[in-house]
Amino acid sequence: DAGVIQSPRHEVTEMGQEVTLRCKPISGHDYLFWYRQTMMRGLELLIYFNNNVPIDDSGMPEDRFSAKMPNASFSTLKIQPSEPRDSAVYFCASSFGFPGNTIYFGEGSWLTVV
Amino acid sequence: AQKVTQAQTEISVVEKEDVTLDCVYETRDTTYYLFWYKQPPSGELVFLIRRNSFDEQNEISGRYSWNFQKSTSSFNFTITASQVVDSAVYFCALSRESNYQLIWGAGTKLIIKP
């Protein structure tokens, strides 16, 4: 079975450019998460959706970040404009059912903003 | 407050040695869930195990075993006869029943030398 699929795997962009990260969750999962991992802050939950509806976006760092989930099989995380401090690994993850169930992660999108 | 402590920042052992990674957690919840994830050098986050607070049975999966002790609030992970491919960062995490906010430990970097 396919796991969580993220694209692109690697992205290098210039400061000020728009960055769009994409995610396809595991089929049948009703929760989708966006995480960010940095050396300084570790793994941070940015936002999560349930049945395509954003439930908690308190982790989104600022208005430059936005996330959408137009349907059950696709989500995007957009950064506009990007800044060097946004350089990190961004993980998409999905789960099914209720809190406490296993969250399965994608391979991550490695973002470098120069 | 919820907290997960992985006191071992880095462990280095020679191949075939047994190694235990410690995880201590804090929570006031009666129902909670504990997880271990592996992050190899390639960067993805791989789910290893999930344990709910009512199941204190130890778990064994091949060379991996987990010891859950509520009395000491610990959920330790042992690798028997370690192999170079076990080299990775291992994260312990805690989830509450009430929400999907995973509380992560800082991770333990495990280095297995040939």
Side-chain angles (χ1 to χ4, degrees):
Chain A
D1 290 340
V4 176
I5 299 172
Q6 292 186 245
S7 66
R9 288 296 316 280
H10 299 273
E11 174 99 2
V12 180
T13 191
E14 291 185 350
M15 183 174 64
Q17 296 298 306
E18 177 179 290
V19 174
T20 300
L21 307 178
R22 298 172 178 81
C23 175
K24 176 180 170 57
I26 293 172
S27 177
H29 281 190
D30 55 351
Y31 284 86
L32 183 138
F33 308 83
W34 283 100
Y35 277 85
R36 178 172 68 176
Q37 185 180 33
T38 60
M39 290 294 293
M40 292 296 294
R41 301 172 70 92
L43 279 155
E44 304 174 274
L45 176 64
L46 300 178
I47 186 172
Y48 76 89
F49 296 82
N50 177 222
N51 291 323
N52 314 336
V53 176
I55 303 300
D56 184 352
D57 65 355
S58 59
M60 296 286 263
E62 47 198 276
D63 292 345
R64 297 185 298 105
F65 286 69
S66 62
K68 294 183 179 179
M69 192 167 185
N71 58 63
S73 58
F74 183 68
S75 177
T76 59
L77 178 67
K78 188 172 293 187
I79 308 172
Q80 166 64 19
S82 58
E83 296 182 4
R85 60 192 168 119
D86 302 331
S87 298
V89 183
Y90 291 82
F91 287 100
C92 179
S94 70
S95 183
F96 173 75
F98 59 89
N101 270 353
T102 300
I103 298 176
Y104 294 93
F105 288 78
E107 293 183 320
S109 291
W110 298 67
L111 174 65
T112 303
V113 183
V114 298
Chain B
Q2 328 290 316
K3 187 179 178 182
V4 175
T5 302
Q6 294 180 257
Q8 304 150 310
T9 304
E10 184 175 304
I11 300 174
S12 181
V13 300
V14 176
E15 198 172 22
K16 297 185 183 177
E17 288 185 15
D18 298 347
V19 59
T20 295
L21 309 181
D22 296 334
C23 173
V24 174
Y25 62 92
E26 296 177 27
T27 180
R28 293 182 179 177
D29 293 349
T30 303
T31 303
Y32 53 90
Y33 304 85
L34 295 164
F35 302 83
W36 277 95
Y37 286 85
K38 173 182 179 180
Q39 188 170 38
S42 50
E44 68 270 30
L45 275 165
V46 179
F47 164 74
L48 296 178
I49 189 170
R50 168 184 177 266
R51 196 39 118 225
N52 76 55
S53 53
F54 299 107
D55 183 1
E56 286 193 73
Q57 282 195 340
N58 291 335
E59 175 98 7
I60 297 175
S61 177
R63 296 182 297 105
Y64 294 174
S65 62
W66 291 268
N67 184 305
F68 176 28
Q69 291 196 337
K70 289 178 75 172
S71 61
T72 56
S73 296
S74 65
F75 187 39
N76 296 337
F77 173 31
T78 298
I79 301 175
T80 302
S82 60
Q83 300 177 1
V84 173
V85 293
D86 296 327
S87 296
V89 178
Y90 291 87
F91 292 95
C92 180
L94 167 71
S95 175
R96 308 179 69 183
E97 187 181 36
S98 56
N99 66 64
Y100 260 110
Q101 181 70 268
L102 270 175
I103 311 301
W104 295 87
T108 296
K109 183 176 183 180
L110 178 62
I111 300 169
I112 310 296
K113 299 177 183 177

